[in-house]
Amino acid sequence: MEEGRLIVVSNRIPTEAAPSGGLVVALHDALKERGGVWIGNSGKRVYPEEAAHGLTQIAKTPYERYSFDLTEEEHQGFYLGYANATLWPLFHHRTDLLAVDPDQARVYREVNDRVAGLIAEVVQPGDVLWVHDYHFLPLAEALRKRGVMNRIGFFLHIPFPNPSDMPALPERKQMPDWLSSFDLIGLQTRRDVSNALDFLRDNGAEILLRGKMKYQDRTFEIASFPIGIDVDDFVEAAEAHADSGEHLRLSPGERLVLGVDRLDYSKGLPQRFAAFGEYLSHRPDPQIRATLLQIAPPSREDVEAYKDIRQELETITGRVNGEMAELDWTPIRYIRRNIEREILAGLYRRGDACLVTPLADGMNLVAKEFVAAQDGADPGVLILSHFAGAAEQMEAALMVNPYDPGETARAIEQALSMPLHERQSRHLSLMQSIRETDITWWTRTYLAALQQKAPVAAN
Ligand code: GDG
């Protein structure tokens, strides 16, 4: 039988011919190889009459790309509201920040319904659908209701919530229906799989063998597929831009500690800055100069909690710099904008250490990019939070509890004084782990697992 098309659905869709960014590049390559269709949100906000027009074709080759627009109400309720002010905090264990708003929940389901209708118009028998992330949890259920019985996979890029946090979500009772309408649920880590199994079992699903589950008349599967990066591509970019560090004009002997994160409260930035301040106050030799370069492009600035994190960070940067700076040295350099990917790769390579200290994170690709960008002969040291999904694979990093500034400060000291042979052996082992599960491995393994799965029974 001829292989059906791959149809990818994600909130964002690349608009350029050769897109950049880990996930987008991986999916782009998968589609380029097999052909298929990518459907996503254009990012444009339109009047309701225009949104009703449906899908717009934005590219035909090397695969078809279609976008849909959101109205202002949909953008507020679906994207800023339910997805990013309810699900995001819940899934990152921040129920204190979770907004409960029945209107936003309604709009979230309506957008999923509308998108399901658009997909149902283009899907053909034999096509395989691959839906990405928390924006589209109810999408398979909505598609099944429209009679779409194709294989539908889901990949959650963020952590699966702690089952004990779930009662904070008014729509939790619908979650088993949402999830079991997919054929395969891909999660980043074993910890996420265990949380998902516990939650579903406590809510009426039966665990069959090896990640297979049954809920009502549907069987589906849950497994972990840790996402990776295109390692060779990053190695190349870092080598080609090894002089990026010169832009920084560091003084001779000055050490560079890096941080690269979207400006998000899940990334543990205030705790990181406090830990860096603590390291500086306790460093063994006050002559040592270490600079923390934090690149933090803004994100979701219209969501209230994101304004707070920005303010908190500005305050703490001012405090640490005010206390520690010298006429010719600013200890924390905080850049709140996007840096070009190639320059970034070169900066990683110049870094003596990288702080990846999220309080919760699905995987964290920065950890993998930093390792890929190092010069194996003189590599920098990765300091990694226990709470990043990457911690399950990258055991040779210096592991820290991001809530404990003393522990992180000691890890910075350890990283900056680590002997060359130890840096090299840790780097070698980390390189091996990121190569084993790189982005091609991720796409192939996930799609192979999805294709082995028979379509769900009609309901
Ligand atoms: C979600 C999950 C999961 C950052 N600043 C700049 C820049 N970046 C790039 C990094 C990296 C990407 O953004 C960030 O990826 P992360 O994985 O670290 O985090 P999220 O954005 O939260 O992603 C996460 C991921 O999905 C994939 O499944 O790992 O856990 O939360 O690639 O390099 N890139 C450029 N300039 C910047 O200033 N060019």
Side-chain angles (χ1 to χ4, degrees), residues 113-126:
D113 263 349
R114 185 161 80 76
V115 173
L118 300 175
I119 295 170
E121 281 174 29
V122 297
V123 76
Q124 294 165 9

Side-chain angles (χ1 to χ4, degrees), residues 12 20-23 88 92 133-134 155-159 188 227-229 234 259-264 266-267 295-297 300 335 337-345 348 356 360-367 369 388-390 442:
R12 271 199 246 133
S20 58
L23 168 67
W88 180 274
H92 288 87
D133 236 359
Y134 58 102
F155 189 82
L156 183 68
H157 291 260
I158 63 177
Q188 299 272 28
I227 195 169
I229 60 164
F234 232 87
V260 179
D261 311 75
R262 270 185 316 97
L263 187 44
D264 193 297
S266 65
K267 303 291 183 183
I295 295 163
R300 305 168 198 162
I335 302 183
R337 69 181 161 76
N338 204 69
I339 300 288
E340 226 179 289
R341 183 175 164 281
E342 280 68 26
I343 306 277
L344 186 64
Y348 280 139
V356 177
D361 216 333
M363 176 54 58
N364 197 296
L365 296 179
V366 169
E369 292 167 357
W442 178 74

Side-chain angles (χ1 to χ4, degrees), residues 71-309:
T71 66
E72 185 57 37
E73 190 206 6
E74 288 175 336
H75 175 70
Q76 294 287 339
F78 163 80
Y79 180 74
L80 295 178
Y82 199 75
N84 284 310
T86 302
L87 295 176
W88 180 274
L90 172 72
F91 283 45
H92 288 87
H93 325 309
R94 291 296 302 269
T95 42
D96 58 316
L97 297 176
L98 175 149
V100 169
D101 182 331
D103 283 335
Q104 293 182 342
R106 172 184 53 79
V107 175
Y108 177 77
R109 279 194 306 267
E110 284 170 1
V111 169
N112 272 272
D113 263 349
R114 185 161 80 76
V115 173
L118 300 175
I119 295 170
E121 281 174 29
V122 297
V123 76
Q124 294 165 9
D127 288 347
V128 172
L129 279 80
W130 193 9
V131 177
H132 290 265
D133 236 359
Y134 58 102
H135 313 88
F136 295 116
L137 289 167
L139 192 64
E141 191 197 27
L143 284 163
R144 302 298 183 208
K145 283 189 179 144
R146 288 167 189 269
V148 174
M149 289 303 146
N150 299 54
R151 273 165 293 188
I152 311 180
F154 178 69
F155 189 82
L156 183 68
H157 291 260
I158 63 177
F160 195 91
N162 287 334
S164 58
D165 286 340
M166 277 300 204
L169 186 74
E171 294 71 34
R172 66 190 170 279
K173 295 229 156 61
Q174 289 146 46
M175 195 74 86
D177 275 315
W178 291 353
L179 295 175
S180 62
S181 299
F182 291 101
D183 292 297
L184 173 65
I185 295 168
L187 301 170
Q188 299 272 28
T189 65
R190 295 188 297 274
R191 178 167 56 195
D192 296 317
V193 170
S194 144
N195 279 341
L197 294 179
D198 284 353
F199 168 72
L200 285 161
R201 197 197 41 217
D202 294 350
N203 286 275
E206 190 188 334
I207 302 187
L208 308 173
L209 273 180
R210 289 164 36 100
K212 289 207 169 46
M213 305 213 75
K214 186 167 192 306
Y215 182 70
Q216 295 173 352
D217 61 346
R218 293 186 292 268
T219 56
F220 59 107
E221 208 170 325
I222 302 186
S224 67
F225 301 86
I227 195 169
I229 60 164
D230 183 339
V231 177
D232 290 327
D233 193 54
F234 232 87
V235 168
E236 232 171 77
E239 282 172 2
H241 293 83
D243 60 354
S244 290
E246 287 169 21
H247 295 298
L248 301 172
R249 299 177 199 283
L250 300 176
S251 38
E254 188 170 338
R255 316 304 303 278
L256 179 66
V257 180
L258 276 176
V260 179
D261 311 75
R262 270 185 316 97
L263 187 44
D264 193 297
Y265 52 78
S266 65
K267 303 291 183 183
L269 297 172
Q271 290 84 348
R272 181 184 305 173
F273 283 21
F276 188 71
E278 186 149 334
Y279 157 74
L280 289 177
S281 345
H282 295 98
R283 66 194 191 279
D285 175 0
Q287 300 303 314
I288 295 174
R289 281 190 177 179
T291 293
L292 170 61
L293 173 65
Q294 176 66 52
I295 295 163
S299 121
R300 305 168 198 162
E301 286 191 303
D302 295 335
V303 178
E304 206 51 43
Y306 288 72
K307 290 186 189 127
D308 298 345
I309 177 78

